[in-house]
């Protein structure tokens, strides 16, 4: 191999290394979706609230086979403080769950813990009011833990795995860093970080803005 080829290969290797360093320093770019308060219901609870045999109707498709339904309910805390027009997300689940922000929890007068979706054991109690009935959840009201949805290809590109906990930075005028962000990986997911309305307002982030995974 002559000197010119050696020099060319060396240059290519150095360029590749520099690109890797730049990628690591800049972080992996992720779009943000701001998640407003919402509720997941079992079919039994849908019927208790809307009538026997009632089926949720689709308003907007979401990732992972989920959708925002046309139906809304009112949620009521222990001190009879209420929040109206809470959107139901479908399809129905095996267990009902209410996801609110910390501000919502204060308004309702409930002590909702920060939890991963589905982890409702020992969480706050709440009543749910529909046009045809009322249900009472002994537990099920949580503040959703911030997280990033990813397809496997995105996880591979970002160098993360399902269940990893990362830190994320918003490079805007607030320059907010979010710690304790959970990675969720599934073939049905579209790349998106979910934060609630409190987090979005405090960090001046809107749906469609981008953040970077920094570690």
């Amino acid at each position: 191999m002559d000197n010119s080829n050696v020099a060319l290969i060396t240059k290519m290797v150095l360029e590749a290394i520099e690109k890797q360093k730049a990628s690591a320093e800049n972080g992996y770019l992720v779009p943000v979706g701001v998640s407003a308060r919402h509720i997941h219901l079992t079919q039994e609870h849908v019927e208790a609230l809307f009538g026997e045999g009632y089926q949720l109707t689709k308003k907007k498709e979401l990732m992972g086979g989920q959708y925002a339904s046309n139906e809304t309910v009112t949620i009521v805390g222990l001190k009879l403080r209420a929040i109206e027009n809470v959107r139901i997300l479908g399809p129905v689940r095996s267990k009902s769950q209410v996801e609110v922000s910390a501000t919502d929890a204060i308004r309702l007068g409930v002590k909702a813990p920060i939890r991963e979706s589905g982890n409702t054991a020992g969480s706050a109690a709440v009543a749910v009011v529909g046009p045809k009935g009322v249900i009472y959840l002994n537990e099920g009201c949580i503040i959703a833990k911030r997280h990033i949805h990813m397809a496997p290809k995105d996880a591979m590109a970002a160098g993360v795995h399902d269940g990893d906990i990362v830190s994320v930075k918003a490079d805007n005028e607030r320059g907010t860093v979010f710690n304790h962000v959970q990675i969720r990986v599934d073939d049905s997911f579209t790349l998106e970080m979910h934060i609630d309305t409190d987090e979005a307002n405090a960090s001046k982030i809107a749906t469609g803005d981008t953040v970077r995974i920094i570690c």
Side-chain angles (χ1 to χ4, degrees):
M1 186 180 295
D2 59 33
N3 289 338
S4 61
N5 285 336
V6 171
L8 179 60
I9 292 171
T10 301
K11 180 182 178 183
M12 292 172 64
V13 170
L14 290 174
E15 287 177 350
I17 291 172
E18 287 302 316
K19 286 180 180 178
Q20 289 178 346
K21 285 182 179 179
S23 177
E25 290 171 359
N26 293 332
Y28 193 76
L29 199 65
V30 179
V32 175
V34 179
S35 182
R37 66 180 77 100
H38 60 273
I39 183 170
H40 303 278
L41 293 171
T42 64
Q43 181 59 33
E44 177 186 358
H45 285 163
V46 169
E47 294 187 32
L49 295 169
F50 292 90
E52 185 177 353
Y54 193 90
Q55 300 292 319
L56 296 176
T57 58
K58 194 176 296 185
K59 177 181 176 70
K60 180 183 178 182
E61 290 280 358
L62 303 173
M63 75 171 70
Q66 294 191 88
Y67 60 87
S69 74
N70 290 296
E71 291 77 18
T72 62
V73 294
T74 297
I75 55 176
V76 184
L78 297 178
K79 297 181 180 179
L80 300 183
R81 299 172 183 169
I83 297 177
E84 299 179 335
N85 300 316
V86 178
R87 184 75 55 189
I88 302 172
L89 299 193
V92 293
R93 291 192 173 187
S94 60
K95 193 172 184 180
S96 293
Q97 170 182 301
V98 181
E99 296 182 33
V100 297
S101 69
T103 298
D104 290 336
I106 293 169
R107 179 176 169 184
L108 290 168
V110 300
K111 294 182 179 180
I114 299 173
R115 296 280 184 80
E116 181 182 0
S117 180
N119 180 9
T120 59
S123 58
V126 69
V128 184
V129 183
K132 296 291 182 67
V134 180
I135 61 172
Y136 180 75
L137 302 177
N138 288 310
E139 59 185 22
C141 185
I142 65 169
I143 299 167
K145 184 176 183 178
R146 60 180 76 115
H147 57 276
I148 299 174
H149 289 284
M150 286 184 163
K153 63 179 178 63
D154 297 310
M156 184 177 294
V160 296
H161 303 87
D162 186 50
D164 283 354
I165 304 297
V166 300
S167 293
V168 171
K169 183 178 181 181
D171 290 316
N172 59 12
E173 59 189 302
R174 284 290 177 90
T176 307
V177 174
F178 296 96
N179 296 316
H180 311 299
V181 182
Q182 185 168 20
I183 299 294
R184 298 184 187 170
V185 181
D186 190 90
D187 288 323
S188 65
F189 289 162
T190 302
L191 181 64
E192 193 170 65
M193 176 176 171
H194 285 174
I195 57 176
D196 66 31
T197 50
D198 282 357
E199 294 170 313
N201 290 336
S203 57
K204 209 167 184 181
I205 294 174
T207 293
D209 290 347
T210 56
V211 293
R212 293 182 184 275
I213 299 174
I214 55 175
C215 65

